[in-house]
């Protein structure tokens, strides 16, 4: 069951337990290059990112924000844009009111708002949020944790008769930093339902611990993500391991998977991974799922791998149109199986499935539709014929009712 949280409106998106867990991402373009930033926001949004964060790190970036948001509106791209602020957010939001107005949310890192004037700078950001009626995300990060607070808590811990391990004090300091900042924001006058919290770390066990503590400490919506998750499989697997456990416990109202792309690589991969985590946990449905067996010595033919790949590609290509034309299509399940051992069984569990012939089996491929044997394909056109059957099934099953 979802942990009960309040709803925070971020532009046209609603974050909280009364709404589906939202997927977000972040650009890696230079924000001052408005054209490239708009282009990447569009790619991320098209891939399914429901909120997109951009860095706002200097005067030029703050000046570029209104043009970015305006250009997106002209292109009819309705996605909330979040400004990521560190060190100088109080100055930028005050000096560039058009930027403050154009953004849908401000992300503030309480560890990066100054030292001596920390609370004053933080309050300045909150005042702008109140003035422009924007929510904030108080995003604590262990790499930039408020050192003053950490030192105080470490000192207190060292004087305790039952001191905690340093790691746990650090986790507690993250929770305290987030909660203290939220209290301060409300004291300055920000409404209770204008605050989202995150506390990112790069280790899976720490992530689980810190979010469990945050979840117990407040009713604000939580943004989940493993920071610096890394490249390739490591980033995908570590993020999935951490996020899946928390989501299964009902913790998390919005997620981001922070993958490091290959140089020039596809930034939208992080959106696909985030969607797949939610879909695998059956929390949301985004795209039809193709199950394929891993293959083994019972089938030396690569036909089923090729067919699974083709069907996946075909669905990906068709989805932008199908999503509009065929409501409910994202819940469809397709099975492409390599032999008779699990082929018919798995195919029967799918909306539509095919069991290809394994080595030494009759060169026949039974097709199952909604759990029942429908037809058996033979010959060299099995793949094409299955694709045609799939298309007809989609048209018939998901056609919008007039
Ligand atoms: S379905 Fe057949 S080919 Fe595929 S993994 Fe199972 S036994 Fe091997």
């Amino acid at each position: 069951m979802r942990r009960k949280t309040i709803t925070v409106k971020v532009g046209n998106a609603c974050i909280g337990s009364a709404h589906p867990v939202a997927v977000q991402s972040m650009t890696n373009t230079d924000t001052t290059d408005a054209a490239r930033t708009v282009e990447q926001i569009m790619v991320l949004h098209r891939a399914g990112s429901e909120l997109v964060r951009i860095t706002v790190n200097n005067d030029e970036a703050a000046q570029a924000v209104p043009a970015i948001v305006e250009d997106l509106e002209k292109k009819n791209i309705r996605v909330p844009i979040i400004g990521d602020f560190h060190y100088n957010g109080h100055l930028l939001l005050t000096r560039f009111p058009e930027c403050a107005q154009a953004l849908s949310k401000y992300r503030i890192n309480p560890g990066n708002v100054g030292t001596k004037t920390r609370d004053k700078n933080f309050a300045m950001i909150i005042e702008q949020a109140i003035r422009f009626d924007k929510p904030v995300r108080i995003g604590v990060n262990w790499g930039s944790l408020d050192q003053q607070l950490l030192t105080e808590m470490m000192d207190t811990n060292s004087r305790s008769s039952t001191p905690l391990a340093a790691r746990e004090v650090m986790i507690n300091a993250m929770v305290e930093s987030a909660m203290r900042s939220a209290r301060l924001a409300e004291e300055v006058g920000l409404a209770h339902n204008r605050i989202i919290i995150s506390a990112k770390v790069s280790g899976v066990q720490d992530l689980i611990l810190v979010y469990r503590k945050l979840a117990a400490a407040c009713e604000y919506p939580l943004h989940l993500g493993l920071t610096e998750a890394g490249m390739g499989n490591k980033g995908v697997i570590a993020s999935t391991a951490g996020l899946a456990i928390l989501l299964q416990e009902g913790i998390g109202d919005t997620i981001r998977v922070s993958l490091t792309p290959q140089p020039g690589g596809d930034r939208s991969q992080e959106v696909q991974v985030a969607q797949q985590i939610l879909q695998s946990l059956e929390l949301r449905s985004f795209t039809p799922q193709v199950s394929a067996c891993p293959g083994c010595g019972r089938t030396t033919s690569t036909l089923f791998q090729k067919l699974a790949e083709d069907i996946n590609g075909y669905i990906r290509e068709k989805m932008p149109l199908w999503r509009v034309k065929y409501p409910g299509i994202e819940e469809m399940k397709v099975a492409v199986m390599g032999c008779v051992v699990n082929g018919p069984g798995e195919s029967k569990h799918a909306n539509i499935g095919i069991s290809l012939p394994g080595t030494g089996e009759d060169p026949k491929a039974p097709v199952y539709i909604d759990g029942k044997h429908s037809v058996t394909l033979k010959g060299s056109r099995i793949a094409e014929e299955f694709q045609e059957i799939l298309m007809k099934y989609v048209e018939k099953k998901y056609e919008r009712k007039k």
Side-chain angles (χ1 to χ4, degrees):
M1 226 196 23
R2 263 303 268 290
R3 161 187 165 259
K4 205 167 176 334
T5 57
I6 50 176
T7 295
V8 176
K9 219 165 173 310
V10 183
N12 60 7
C14 286
I15 309 297
S17 59
H19 305 274
V21 179
V23 171
Q24 54 180 290
S25 58
M26 184 172 184
T27 57
N28 62 354
T29 52
D30 180 349
T31 305
T32 59
D33 186 342
R36 281 195 59 227
T37 302
V38 166
E39 201 180 302
Q40 195 176 69
I41 292 169
M42 288 171 68
V43 168
L44 292 168
H45 181 55
R46 229 178 271 130
S49 185
E50 292 156 314
L51 305 106
V52 178
R53 184 156 47 111
I54 61 176
T55 201
V56 187
N57 53 340
N58 53 34
D59 290 7
E60 293 73 26
Q63 279 164 330
V65 169
I68 290 170
V69 173
E70 204 175 301
D71 196 12
L72 289 166
E73 274 167 15
K74 264 194 219 138
K75 292 180 160 75
N76 210 19
I77 305 294
R78 308 249 169 255
V79 60
I81 302 300
I82 301 157
D84 196 59
F85 293 95
H86 298 270
Y87 314 113
N88 55 0
H90 57 298
L91 300 174
L92 296 175
L93 286 166
T94 313
R95 284 211 308 258
F96 299 98
E98 295 85 2
C99 165
Q101 172 60 51
L103 292 166
S104 293
K105 185 175 74 174
Y106 314 148
R107 184 268 167 129
I108 325 166
N109 178 339
N112 283 346
V113 284
T115 42
K116 281 198 194 111
T117 53
R118 182 187 55 186
D119 289 356
K120 188 169 151 262
N121 296 350
F122 181 80
M124 274 171 78
I125 299 178
I126 298 300
E127 277 157 14
Q128 296 312 305
I130 296 167
R131 178 176 166 204
F132 293 101
D133 192 20
K134 307 289 177 179
V136 300
R137 167 157 69 93
I138 295 169
V140 182
N141 191 305
W142 80 324
S144 46
L145 180 57
D146 179 342
Q147 289 306 304
Q148 201 183 325
L149 174 67
L150 181 62
T151 310
E152 277 166 27
M153 289 180 69
M154 285 288 186
D155 285 349
T156 310
N157 183 60
S158 65
R159 288 194 297 272
S160 160
S161 55
T162 50
L164 302 171
R167 182 174 147 215
E168 193 158 352
V169 180
M170 191 270 295
I171 296 286
N172 289 345
M174 292 184 76
V175 175
E176 179 55 25
S177 174
M179 290 301 101
R180 210 184 254 197
S181 302
R183 268 196 309 274
L184 182 54
E186 290 202 41
E187 276 163 28
V188 174
L190 190 67
H192 188 57
N193 66 354
R194 299 308 256 164
I195 298 171
I196 294 174
I197 304 277
S198 68
K200 295 195 183 175
V201 291
S202 60
V204 171
Q205 295 298 346
D206 289 338
L207 184 88
I208 295 164
L209 196 59
V210 75
Y211 273 95
R212 280 180 180 159
K213 285 182 184 249
L214 274 177
C218 68
E219 58 167 5
Y220 299 117
L222 298 181
H223 168 67
L224 302 188
L226 192 69
T227 191
E228 281 89 49
M231 295 185 85
N233 284 348
K234 188 260 168 193
V236 172
I237 294 162
S239 292
T240 306
L243 267 53
I245 289 171
L246 290 165
L247 289 164
Q248 184 66 14
E249 292 177 10
I251 298 172
D253 303 288
T254 159
I255 64 170
R256 177 183 177 215
V257 174
S258 308
L259 296 181
T260 310
Q262 300 281 355
D266 182 3
R267 186 71 171 173
S268 65
Q269 197 209 351
E270 65 171 53
V271 179
Q272 290 158 23
V273 174
Q275 287 187 331
Q276 193 59 55
I277 292 173
L278 294 175
Q279 186 145 3
S280 300
L281 290 169
E282 297 180 14
L283 294 175
R284 292 189 66 181
S285 295
F286 298 97
T287 189
Q289 299 288 285
V290 179
S291 355
C293 77
C296 71
R298 285 182 177 275
T299 180
T300 46
S301 151
T302 53
L303 180 61
F304 82 97
Q305 292 157 317
K306 172 89 177 54
L307 184 57
E309 198 187 4
D310 287 355
I311 297 287
N312 251 325
Y314 180 66
I315 289 174
R316 212 176 305 124
E317 186 197 310
K318 296 279 180 195
M319 262 318 271
L321 181 70
W322 281 6
R323 203 171 282 129
V324 182
K325 208 167 165 199
Y326 302 116
I329 183 80
E330 61 281 358
E331 281 167 21
M332 181 172 74
K333 290 191 173 68
V334 181
V336 179
M337 301 295 290
C339 86
V340 77
V341 171
N342 288 324
E346 188 70 34
S347 299
K348 282 182 196 164
H349 290 304
N351 289 92
I352 174 162
I354 185 167
S355 175
L356 291 156
T359 311
E361 290 176 24
D362 261 4
K364 291 193 270 183
V367 173
Y368 298 83
I369 293 182
D370 290 331
K372 292 198 183 75
H373 178 235
S374 155
V375 64
T376 298
L377 304 177
K378 293 181 208 142
S380 59
R381 288 196 69 253
I382 288 181
E384 291 86 340
E385 285 174 22
F386 183 64
Q387 218 150 300
E388 284 160 19
I389 294 170
L390 175 68
M391 192 59 233
K392 281 201 190 112
Y393 178 82
V394 168
E395 280 169 4
K396 194 164 160 233
K397 171 117 183 171
Y398 299 100
E399 183 77 88
R400 193 180 284 280
K401 306 276 175 289
K402 300 245 163 59

